[in-house]
Amino acid sequence: MTEKDVEQVAEFLHRVVQISLTTQKEAGTKLLKDFTKTFESGSGEAPKLIAELKKDVMKFATSFPLPGIPDTVSLFSVLLPLPSPFSSSTHIKLSQTNTNIQSKIVRPEGVDL
């Protein structure tokens, strides 16, 4: 990673904070249950901003190869589209994706991941 890449990651983190503040303002309180309810409702500005951020992060992330995986581009096609972090099926989908990723990792003999 270069300095420019680190600055890009910092910009992504800044956007996450701004989206969180927007969602908190839309919720009207600082309670987590209200924040989650507002975010999950799909109304307001936050879901659109999250979708845009997700697209930008995936574009950025796919520009870097993954060690041990010969074809990173096909790996990311397995991961897209990523589920909402508040989706009830998120855990199942991520577990299945983790299994797909582990099956593509080249393991040295005698090493168990």
Side-chain angles (χ1 to χ4, degrees):
M1 284 183 86
T2 65
E3 184 176 341
K4 183 179 175 185
D5 296 331
V6 174
E7 288 172 359
Q8 181 62 53
V9 171
E11 193 270 330
F12 289 147
L13 293 172
H14 177 72
R15 285 172 59 186
V16 168
V17 170
Q18 296 305 312
I19 292 168
S20 298
L21 291 172
T22 299
T23 304
Q24 184 179 38
K25 190 180 291 184
E26 290 172 356
T29 71
K30 292 187 176 188
L31 297 175
L32 179 60
K33 67 179 184 174
D34 295 333
F35 178 91
T36 305
K37 184 177 169 184
T38 301
F39 188 83
E40 287 179 336
S41 73
S43 62
E45 192 177 347
K48 292 179 276 185
L49 294 173
I50 288 287
E52 183 181 316
L53 177 63
K54 175 182 165 182
K55 183 183 75 166
D56 294 344
V57 168
M58 290 305 294
K59 182 179 176 184
F60 175 75
T62 56
S63 69
F64 298 97
L66 293 174
I69 301 178
D71 186 7
T72 304
V73 175
S74 66
L75 172 66
F76 281 107
S77 67
V78 171
L79 295 176
L80 292 175
L82 289 174
S84 164
F86 296 107
S87 166
S88 60
S89 61
T90 298
H91 178 71
I92 294 167
K93 289 180 183 176
L94 290 178
S95 295
Q96 292 167 347
T97 301
N98 187 32
T99 302
N100 292 340
I101 291 170
Q102 286 187 358
S103 68
K104 293 183 180 189
I105 296 175
V106 178
R107 295 180 182 93
E109 284 190 40
V111 175
D112 190 24
L113 299 176

